[in-house]
Amino acid sequence: MTKSRFNPWTWLWVTVATLYFFVPLWGTFDFSLRMKRGAITFLAYQKVFADPKFLQSFRYSATMGVITVIVSIMLFVPTTYWIHLKLPRLRPVVELLTLLPFIIPVIVLVFGLIRTFSRPPFRMTQTEFTTDILITAGYVILSMPFMFRAVDVGMRAIDVRTLTEAAQSLGAGWLRVLLSVILPNLRVAILSGSLITFATVVGELILADFLVRPALGPYMVVVGGGKAYEPAALGILSFGLTWICLGIIQLVSRGDVRLQPIGR
Amino acid sequence: MTKSRFNPWTWLWVTVATLYFFVPLWGTFDFSLRMKRGAITFLAYQKVFADPKFLQSFRYSATMGVITVIVSIMLFVPTTYWIHLKLPRLRPVVELLTLLPFIIPVIVLVFGLIRTFSRPPFRMTQTEFTTDILITAGYVILSMPFMFRAVDVGMRAIDVRTLTEAAQSLGAGWLRVLLSVILPNLRVAILSGSLITFATVVGELILADFLVRPALGPYMVVVGGGKAYEPAALGILSFGLTWICLGIIQLVSRGDVRLQPIGR
Amino acid sequence: MAFLEISGITKHFGQGAGAAVDDFSLSVERGEFISFLGPSGCGKTTTLRVVAGFEQANAGSVHINGAEVSSVPANRRNVGMVFQAYALFPNMTVAENVGFGLRVAGQPAALMQARVAEMLELIRLPDYGRRYPHQLSGGQQQRVALARALAVQPQLLLLDEPLSALDAKIRIELRSEIRRIQQELKLTTIYVTHDQEEALSLSDRIVVMNLGRIEQVGTPFEIYNYPRTAFTASFVGHLNLLPVQVTDAATGACTFEGTALASSQPAPNKQAGSARLAIRPEELVLGGAGANRLSGRVLSVNFLGNVVRVRVRVGAVELSVDMFNERKLVLPAVDAQVVLSFPAHACWLMD
Amino acid sequence: MAFLEISGITKHFGQGAGAAVDDFSLSVERGEFISFLGPSGCGKTTTLRVVAGFEQANAGSVHINGAEVSSVPANRRNVGMVFQAYALFPNMTVAENVGFGLRVAGQPAALMQARVAEMLELIRLPDYGRRYPHQLSGGQQQRVALARALAVQPQLLLLDEPLSALDAKIRIELRSEIRRIQQELKLTTIYVTHDQEEALSLSDRIVVMNLGRIEQVGTPFEIYNYPRTAFTASFVGHLNLLPVQVTDAATGACTFEGTALASSQPAPNKQAGSARLAIRPEELVLGGAGANRLSGRVLSVNFLGNVVRVRVRVGAVELSVDMFNERKLVLPAVDAQVVLSFPAHACWLMD
């Protein structure tokens, strides 16, 4: 409505948001470089990487992350597809359900998991392997909102229902429709859901702590409690990892010209 | 496609989901009633309510929750509106930004906040009041994804842009458009965003712990570490609170017939 | 039994809701072009989706080429479908889209390529095989969707308002393309539309529907010139209605505000009294020497392109008169007194 | 200066993009009904939005009633706007919607109520004041949107494809409603559409646009019968084109495949050679005794309702001939040999 393209309010907002996000980040980064008094060094980072426990916990968390992503995709892509196609009236209910992990404190989830599955008949906390199954189940629940939403938005963007009917009328069965028509058009959505899921698992704290598994989150808290500069370095590292993930999403979705709408 | 309306797969899914969610919940609930050996009692609940620290921390968290909700609404409704109207191309970027709290581990955020604002020139952790300002800022960031998304979805449902132009062509200025046309049609969206924000704040753990404020999350962890039955009762209570919130959202959105689309 | 036999189809959505389709029966011969015409919500699309296999009817049966298909899933009915929203697969090129059905059927690559080329030739986009759908205009996308549906040589082609999303000009172009291709391939076709001009110009027969029921089935000429229900008469084309008093039910003689008028058909209820005399705007002539003459005053002159529609007030009613545009035409002036005439065979009595 | 004066409007979206509107100038008199007609993306909506104040032009100016409005925000231009998507406020009743503009202007409640009642009377929905938009049909919602725009007595009414989202039948009904209301209130109106029939039937003058530029401005009769550019001729109405050899550029005489034809206008470039003879389908007569006669074979007969369109192959070209439907009409048979005739004044030569 206003004539100028450089609305001062827009710029004010952008500035405030930038400060809000990046001042703390810059503070952390700056601090992480000052381990050696009076010099700017990457000593804190070296110490982090030198700690075998860091590598061990990172490897553990990364593995769990990949497993969680795979399970999530296998669970949520068909489910979401099914809901879009057959039970659209159920969508709001499912959407609410997938929000539960945000709303129920993780700690309640952990209590519930431990209370239920550490007792007979399950006794799943007895061995490392079964504990890992349990923890994966927990991670899948925690990442549910991201995966469901990403896939849901992706499906809404392509009118899944009409595409499915078109493919069916050409003779394609369910599996064919899913693999040839639906999945290729959800590439970006699934990738973005996966990366966020991965990042969530790698950063998760409470579940691994209570189930006593060597994950990155609890390790960071231990380091954070006992040391000063290493946690800052860890924070910056995990932030960097995150931005790499986001960068990949952006890159892929920009390259995918086929998802762009026609004209303006 | 299949003829039967009672697809066995649908039911399998519904059953699995139900078990997945409700078995742990039931286990926790059952456990919380068994504080007195050999009897079903609400003793654990009585103990929880008898603890003055519980009430104190609940009151603190509830207050912070309400403040966070108000700040979030004032921040995100105009911002989202502005983005929809003037900078639609920025929307994906902002969407990514609002996802950051999911991706950056809370612990990194906390480190950043403490490193930056506890030192000069801010020194905000010196007094309780300024610490609370700091913690509110943190909560607003944490709840950003919910509030932004809820408002964003609400705005997309009503075609904000055309409604705004219609109101403008009738002589309404910005404030009038926002208050008379946009806000009333976003009631449900804002309410649902608010309740989720509130629940998030009440259940939040790490921020309050590291900033040493008497919130409900850290209290639950302390109780969970030292006792057996009370944490289960606490878990059930917080789950109940959550469902009440969800119930309110459902109730209001169902009552609001005006948001229903026309016909089928 | 006809090639496509739809018998007593009834469909409810949910308990308590009225029937979206109510006892729909129709026989379609091989090679016929049938349109389902009606306003939004009249059940035309639901009926089409039952035939396609995307909806299950609550009652009734569908036979295609003699076989009951009610329990055959959509992907084994060999029925081509074109959607209003084009529904091209965005991840595939035009050639891949058109070849999709053949690939699903496991046809050899050489045959597939030849068939795709042939189809692209048919829709007059031979050089567009390597493009992606988003690089095409709406009209081109719908052509490709048509080619895709035809590539598998379906027994039956179903089109669900295929032109509704397009501009007026392209709509008319593509309309004649669809008709040309249908006639070239002699395909049995069902076409769903709310646009009477589309239905009239394309179809061998039209099924006029309202509130889930069939109102009338007939050729465009029959539907337009001999509507059997008041709904059909008013929904298809413009109709002038004169409130008249029937003086002789057997011959169809009547009077309008004192002027005697003749119609060539008997009154529908075979008795004298109040009725309405129906006449199409294009049968009325300004001036002229028809059997029936009325005089009135010009209210407005509306230029519609090839036709000029003049509204004339005659007594208490307004009548529309259509005349062809001519470059030399002198349009009647507003407020001028004019005489209208029409032959007896052009009008008919309705209740 | 005219009531609305648009001068040299140019609008680019982003650097490097072509001009969406290129040097658009137009004078509109008070009370005129102007249509912007053109295909999607021709810049008609962008121009309208510049006038409404929703877009800022990169160059050019807009004067309403003598005042430069380029820097006046949309909410102070006193310009009524009707959108394709209705854009009623879902949280308000019909009466609250219609009264919104008056409430914003701070009018007293009594005056507001009276005005709302008057507006609802005008759109013929007097008893709908207490309903909510979602309880109305699409056509009713668009009527309410019109009433809402008119309630504030705007200097200018802008309509952006207001009928595109509606069914064919309702489109025609509402079209005449819009025209009636516009004439009752003598409102200066700009109407954007891609539908030539809408533009022809509604407008005092039509602005034909293509690729951001004005092709021709004129009355419907001028635009249709005397198109000045090839784009206008082909976009508005159907046109038959015969490839001819001009034999006498001064008189417009020419030959088509050996048959001599007369046209009453000189050739446009004043010289002999190849040209195209243009004639509208409704000026061709089957049989008849026009000055020009051609013989050919009937290819197809298309029933369009009040008009029947016959396609005839004459030599190497296909011509369309329009004739009025009559109940007694015997349609020409496909493959029959027919003679076509047309008068010299009905055709013109184009390059």
Side-chain angles (χ1 to χ4, degrees):
Chain A
M1 243 19 54
T2 45
K3 207 175 180 184
S4 142
R5 295 185 158 223
F6 303 98
N7 191 289
W9 280 94
T10 313
W11 290 109
L12 181 69
W13 277 112
V14 170
T15 312
V16 168
T18 312
L19 288 178
Y20 202 53
F21 273 108
F22 293 102
V23 164
L25 200 68
W26 174 254
T28 310
F29 181 58
D30 183 59
F31 186 78
S32 75
L33 298 178
R34 295 185 184 275
M35 194 170 189
K36 211 177 214 164
R37 188 165 290 272
I40 300 292
T41 63
F42 283 93
L43 192 59
Y45 294 86
Q46 286 165 19
K47 291 224 169 183
V48 166
F49 283 114
D51 186 350
K53 275 198 161 176
F54 167 75
L55 289 177
Q56 189 205 348
S57 60
F58 183 78
R59 202 181 313 126
Y60 177 80
S61 283
T63 313
M64 296 310 289
V66 170
I67 294 171
T68 306
V69 163
I70 293 170
V71 174
S72 289
I73 291 175
M74 282 168 45
L75 265 176
F76 294 118
V77 173
T79 312
T80 316
Y81 179 51
W82 190 259
I83 289 166
H84 268 261
L85 218 60
K86 290 281 158 182
L87 307 162
R89 273 174 307 175
L90 261 187
R91 225 185 58 80
V93 178
V94 175
E95 204 171 346
L96 265 184
L97 270 182
T98 61
L99 279 178
L100 283 183
F102 289 153
I103 304 169
I104 304 177
V106 181
I107 202 144
V108 175
L109 175 71
V110 177
F111 286 152
L113 283 177
I114 293 179
R115 293 280 173 241
T116 312
F117 292 103
S118 68
R119 292 186 305 170
F122 301 107
R123 295 185 185 279
M124 289 180 73
T125 46
Q126 302 270 352
T127 69
E128 283 190 2
F129 179 67
T130 48
T131 310
D132 282 349
I133 293 179
L134 197 57
I135 211 170
T136 306
Y139 285 150
V140 169
I141 295 190
L142 288 185
S143 65
M144 189 165 65
F146 312 120
M147 196 50 105
F148 173 77
R149 246 155 218 278
V151 174
D152 184 55
V153 169
M155 288 200 178
R156 269 199 277 183
I158 56 167
D159 189 359
V160 179
R161 196 165 169 183
T162 314
L163 284 187
T164 301
E165 290 182 351
Q168 281 182 326
S169 73
L170 293 168
W174 284 111
L175 201 65
R176 188 65 171 246
V177 175
L178 196 60
L179 294 180
S180 301
V181 176
I182 304 303
L183 280 184
N185 289 307
L186 288 179
R187 243 177 45 219
V188 175
I190 291 175
L191 184 69
S192 86
S194 300
L195 290 176
I196 296 177
T197 298
F198 183 79
T200 308
V201 171
V202 169
E204 206 281 329
L205 178 67
I206 303 168
L207 205 58
D209 193 25
F210 275 72
L211 288 168
V212 207
R213 299 297 294 141
L216 198 60
Y219 170 79
M220 279 168 72
V221 173
V222 172
V223 174
K227 303 185 179 177
Y229 297 94
E230 285 89 340
L234 269 175
I236 292 300
L237 282 177
S238 101
F239 190 80
L241 185 72
T242 303
W243 275 102
I244 291 171
C245 287
L246 291 183
I248 293 173
I249 298 179
Q250 278 298 78
L251 211 73
V252 173
S253 53
R254 197 172 310 167
D256 201 338
V257 285
R258 284 174 290 175
L259 287 182
Q260 287 172 0
I262 309 156
R264 59 183 143 83
Chain B
M1 244 15 56
T2 48
K3 206 178 182 182
S4 142
R5 296 187 157 220
F6 303 97
N7 190 289
W9 279 96
T10 314
W11 289 109
L12 180 69
W13 276 113
V14 170
T15 312
V16 168
T18 313
L19 288 178
Y20 202 54
F21 273 108
F22 293 103
V23 164
L25 200 67
W26 176 254
T28 311
F29 182 58
D30 183 60
F31 186 77
S32 74
L33 298 178
R34 294 181 185 277
M35 193 169 191
K36 210 175 214 169
R37 187 165 290 272
I40 301 293
T41 64
F42 283 93
L43 192 60
Y45 294 85
Q46 286 165 17
K47 292 224 170 184
V48 166
F49 283 113
D51 186 350
K53 276 199 161 173
F54 167 75
L55 289 177
Q56 189 207 346
S57 60
F58 182 78
R59 201 180 316 125
Y60 177 79
S61 282
T63 313
M64 295 310 290
V66 170
I67 293 172
T68 307
V69 163
I70 294 170
V71 175
S72 291
I73 292 175
M74 282 167 46
L75 264 176
F76 294 118
V77 174
T79 311
T80 316
Y81 180 51
W82 189 259
I83 289 166
H84 268 261
L85 217 59
K86 291 280 158 183
L87 307 162
R89 272 174 307 175
L90 260 188
R91 225 185 59 81
V93 178
V94 176
E95 204 170 345
L96 265 183
L97 269 184
T98 62
L99 279 178
L100 283 184
F102 289 152
I103 303 168
I104 305 177
V106 181
I107 203 139
V108 174
L109 174 69
V110 177
F111 286 152
L113 283 176
I114 293 179
R115 294 278 173 243
T116 313
F117 292 103
S118 68
R119 293 187 303 171
F122 301 107
R123 293 186 189 278
M124 288 181 73
T125 49
Q126 303 269 355
T127 70
E128 284 190 1
F129 178 69
T130 47
T131 309
D132 283 349
I133 292 179
L134 196 56
I135 209 169
T136 306
Y139 285 150
V140 169
I141 295 189
L142 288 185
S143 65
M144 189 166 65
F146 312 121
M147 196 49 105
F148 172 77
R149 243 155 220 277
V151 174
D152 183 56
V153 169
M155 288 201 179
R156 268 197 279 182
I158 56 168
D159 190 0
V160 179
R161 194 165 170 184
T162 314
L163 285 188
T164 301
E165 290 181 351
Q168 281 182 327
S169 74
L170 294 167
W174 284 111
L175 201 64
R176 189 65 171 246
V177 175
L178 197 60
L179 294 181
S180 301
V181 175
I182 303 304
L183 278 185
N185 288 308
L186 288 180
R187 244 178 43 219
V188 175
I190 291 174
L191 183 68
S192 86
S194 300
L195 289 176
I196 296 178
T197 299
F198 183 78
T200 308
V201 171
V202 169
E204 205 281 328
L205 179 67
I206 302 168
L207 205 57
D209 194 26
F210 275 73
L211 287 168
V212 207
R213 298 298 295 140
L216 198 60
Y219 170 79
M220 281 167 72
V221 173
V222 171
V223 175
K227 303 184 181 178
Y229 297 94
E230 286 88 338
L234 267 174
I236 293 299
L237 282 176
S238 99
F239 190 79
L241 185 74
T242 303
W243 275 102
I244 291 171
C245 287
L246 291 183
I248 294 174
I249 298 179
Q250 278 299 77
L251 212 73
V252 172
S253 53
R254 198 171 308 166
D256 201 339
V257 286
R258 285 173 288 175
L259 287 181
Q260 288 172 359
I262 309 155
R264 60 182 143 77
Chain C
M1 186 180 268
F3 181 70
L4 168 66
E5 191 78 46
I6 305 173
S7 323
I9 289 292
T10 298
K11 174 76 184 173
H12 304 264
F13 288 103
Q15 262 94 28
V21 181
D22 192 0
D23 195 20
F24 184 105
S25 296
L26 182 72
S27 299
V28 180
E29 296 303 327
R30 194 189 288 267
E32 251 192 314
F33 193 117
I34 301 282
S35 288
F36 294 175
L37 174 66
S40 317
C42 73
K44 53 194 194 298
T45 292
T46 306
T47 309
L48 191 81
R49 290 174 59 82
V50 168
V51 174
F54 298 135
E55 305 276 359
Q56 292 293 321
N58 298 93
S61 66
V62 177
H63 289 79
I64 302 178
N65 206 359
E68 224 294 59
V69 296
S70 300
S71 57
V72 177
N75 60 337
R76 286 200 232 116
R77 290 197 183 183
N78 192 19
V79 159
M81 181 96 186
V82 176
F83 300 85
Q84 182 179 340
Y86 322 143
L88 295 182
F89 308 130
N91 57 315
M92 302 182 196
T93 61
V94 165
E96 285 165 354
N97 264 286
V98 175
F100 182 82
L102 300 165
R103 194 151 56 89
V104 168
Q107 301 281 1
L111 191 145
M112 203 171 97
Q113 269 187 322
R115 181 96 185 123
V116 167
E118 185 190 332
M119 285 297 116
L120 293 181
E121 201 67 53
L122 186 72
I123 57 165
R124 299 183 179 168
L125 294 174
D127 304 325
Y128 281 65
R130 284 159 188 276
R131 302 216 191 168
Y132 280 96
H134 71 92
Q135 297 169 316
L136 307 182
S137 72
Q140 291 171 333
Q141 287 192 57
Q142 197 58 296
R143 276 164 201 254
V144 174
L146 185 63
R148 184 178 64 174
L150 296 174
V152 293
Q153 297 180 295
Q155 314 185 62
L156 201 59
L157 179 64
L158 308 179
L159 303 109
D160 187 6
E161 309 221 7
L163 307 179
S164 295
L166 300 170
D167 272 12
K169 197 78 193 171
I170 294 159
R171 223 152 44 206
I172 293 173
E173 257 177 58
L174 204 45
R175 193 164 84 190
S176 57
E177 282 290 273
I178 289 174
R179 182 62 172 164
R180 174 181 66 79
I181 290 170
Q182 186 266 340
Q183 296 209 316
E184 245 177 81
L185 305 179
K186 296 187 175 52
L187 250 176
T188 316
T189 303
I190 300 181
Y191 186 99
V192 162
T193 182
H194 63 255
D195 185 322
Q196 46 134 334
E197 198 179 297
E198 272 176 24
L200 290 171
S201 65
L202 282 169
S203 320
D204 294 319
R205 280 192 298 155
I206 296 174
V207 179
V208 180
M209 291 182 74
N210 190 30
L211 302 173
R213 294 180 151 280
I214 295 182
E215 290 274 332
Q216 185 170 349
V217 181
T219 64
F221 193 81
E222 282 166 15
I223 294 282
Y224 185 83
N225 284 321
Y226 299 94
R228 242 182 288 133
T229 68
F231 176 82
T232 305
S234 67
F235 190 79
V236 181
H238 189 92
L239 194 65
N240 292 309
L241 289 172
L242 285 167
V244 292
Q245 292 294 323
V246 176
T247 49
D248 184 347
T251 63
C254 55
T255 61
F256 167 71
E257 297 184 358
T259 313
L261 298 172
S263 79
S264 58
Q265 279 170 279
N269 53 4
K270 310 278 183 205
Q271 61 186 46
S274 296
R276 292 180 301 171
L277 188 71
I279 179 149
R280 297 284 183 190
E282 67 272 17
E283 302 257 24
L284 286 168
V285 182
L286 280 185
N292 298 310
R293 296 172 68 89
L294 294 167
S295 64
R297 183 171 57 84
V298 173
L299 288 176
S300 66
V301 177
N302 247 311
F303 191 80
L304 303 176
N306 55 351
V307 168
V308 179
R309 176 159 292 178
V310 181
R311 289 189 67 73
V312 178
R313 175 171 288 279
V314 178
V317 298
E318 288 178 16
L319 297 181
S320 293
V321 181
D322 282 356
M323 48 203 290
F324 270 133
N325 164 63
E326 280 175 51
R327 290 183 111 201
K328 276 218 166 157
L329 188 68
V330 180
L331 294 172
V334 173
D335 282 336
Q337 288 291 327
V338 291
V339 172
L340 302 177
S341 71
F342 56 100
H345 65 80
C347 60
W348 68 95
L349 286 163
M350 289 170 67
D351 284 330
Chain D
M1 188 180 265
F3 181 70
L4 169 66
E5 192 77 46
I6 305 173
S7 324
I9 290 292
T10 298
K11 174 75 184 172
H12 303 264
F13 289 103
Q15 262 94 28
V21 180
D22 192 1
D23 194 20
F24 184 105
S25 296
L26 183 73
S27 300
V28 180
E29 294 304 326
R30 194 188 289 266
E32 250 192 316
F33 194 117
I34 300 282
S35 289
F36 293 174
L37 174 66
S40 319
C42 72
K44 54 192 192 298
T45 292
T46 305
T47 310
L48 191 79
R49 289 173 60 81
V50 168
V51 174
F54 297 135
E55 304 278 0
Q56 293 293 321
N58 298 93
S61 66
V62 177
H63 288 78
I64 302 178
N65 208 357
E68 224 294 59
V69 296
S70 299
S71 57
V72 177
N75 59 337
R76 284 198 233 120
R77 291 198 183 182
N78 192 19
V79 159
M81 182 96 186
V82 175
F83 300 86
Q84 183 179 341
Y86 321 144
L88 295 181
F89 307 130
N91 57 316
M92 302 182 197
T93 62
V94 166
E96 285 166 356
N97 264 285
V98 175
F100 182 81
L102 299 166
R103 193 150 58 86
V104 168
Q107 301 283 357
L111 190 146
M112 202 170 99
Q113 269 186 322
R115 182 97 184 122
V116 167
E118 184 190 332
M119 284 297 117
L120 293 181
E121 202 68 53
L122 185 72
I123 58 165
R124 301 185 178 167
L125 295 174
D127 305 325
Y128 281 65
R130 284 161 186 275
R131 301 216 191 170
Y132 281 95
H134 71 91
Q135 297 170 315
L136 306 182
S137 72
Q140 291 170 335
Q141 288 191 57
Q142 197 58 296
R143 275 163 201 255
V144 174
L146 184 63
R148 183 179 63 176
L150 296 174
V152 292
Q153 298 179 295
Q155 314 185 63
L156 201 60
L157 179 65
L158 309 178
L159 303 108
D160 186 7
E161 308 221 9
L163 307 179
S164 295
L166 300 170
D167 273 13
K169 196 77 194 171
I170 295 159
R171 230 163 25 217
I172 293 173
E173 258 176 58
L174 206 44
R175 193 164 84 190
S176 55
E177 281 291 273
I178 289 175
R179 183 60 173 164
R180 175 182 65 79
I181 290 171
Q182 186 267 339
Q183 296 209 316
E184 247 178 81
L185 305 180
K186 298 191 174 46
L187 251 174
T188 316
T189 303
I190 300 181
Y191 187 100
V192 162
T193 183
H194 63 256
D195 186 322
Q196 45 133 334
E197 198 179 298
E198 273 176 24
L200 290 171
S201 66
L202 283 170
S203 319
D204 294 320
R205 280 192 297 157
I206 296 174
V207 179
V208 180
M209 292 182 72
N210 190 31
L211 302 174
R213 293 181 152 279
I214 295 181
E215 290 275 333
Q216 185 170 350
V217 181
T219 65
F221 192 84
E222 283 166 15
I223 294 282
Y224 185 84
N225 285 321
Y226 299 94
R228 241 181 290 132
T229 68
F231 176 82
T232 305
S234 66
F235 190 78
V236 180
H238 190 92
L239 194 64
N240 292 309
L241 291 171
L242 285 166
V244 292
Q245 292 295 323
V246 177
T247 49
D248 183 347
T251 64
C254 56
T255 61
F256 167 71
E257 298 185 0
T259 312
L261 298 172
S263 77
S264 57
Q265 281 171 276
N269 53 5
K270 311 279 182 204
Q271 62 186 45
S274 296
R276 291 179 305 169
L277 187 71
I279 178 150
R280 297 282 184 190
E282 67 272 15
E283 302 258 23
L284 285 168
V285 182
L286 280 183
N292 298 310
R293 297 170 67 89
L294 293 166
S295 65
R297 184 171 56 83
V298 173
L299 288 175
S300 67
V301 177
N302 248 311
F303 191 80
L304 302 177
N306 55 352
V307 169
V308 179
R309 177 159 292 179
V310 181
R311 290 190 68 74
V312 178
R313 174 171 290 278
V314 178
V317 297
E318 289 178 15
L319 298 181
S320 292
V321 181
D322 282 356
M323 49 202 289
F324 269 133
N325 164 63
E326 280 175 50
R327 290 180 110 200
K328 275 214 166 162
L329 188 69
V330 179
L331 295 172
V334 172
D335 282 338
Q337 289 291 328
V338 291
V339 172
L340 302 177
S341 71
F342 56 98
H345 65 80
C347 58
W348 68 95
L349 285 164
M350 290 169 67
D351 285 329

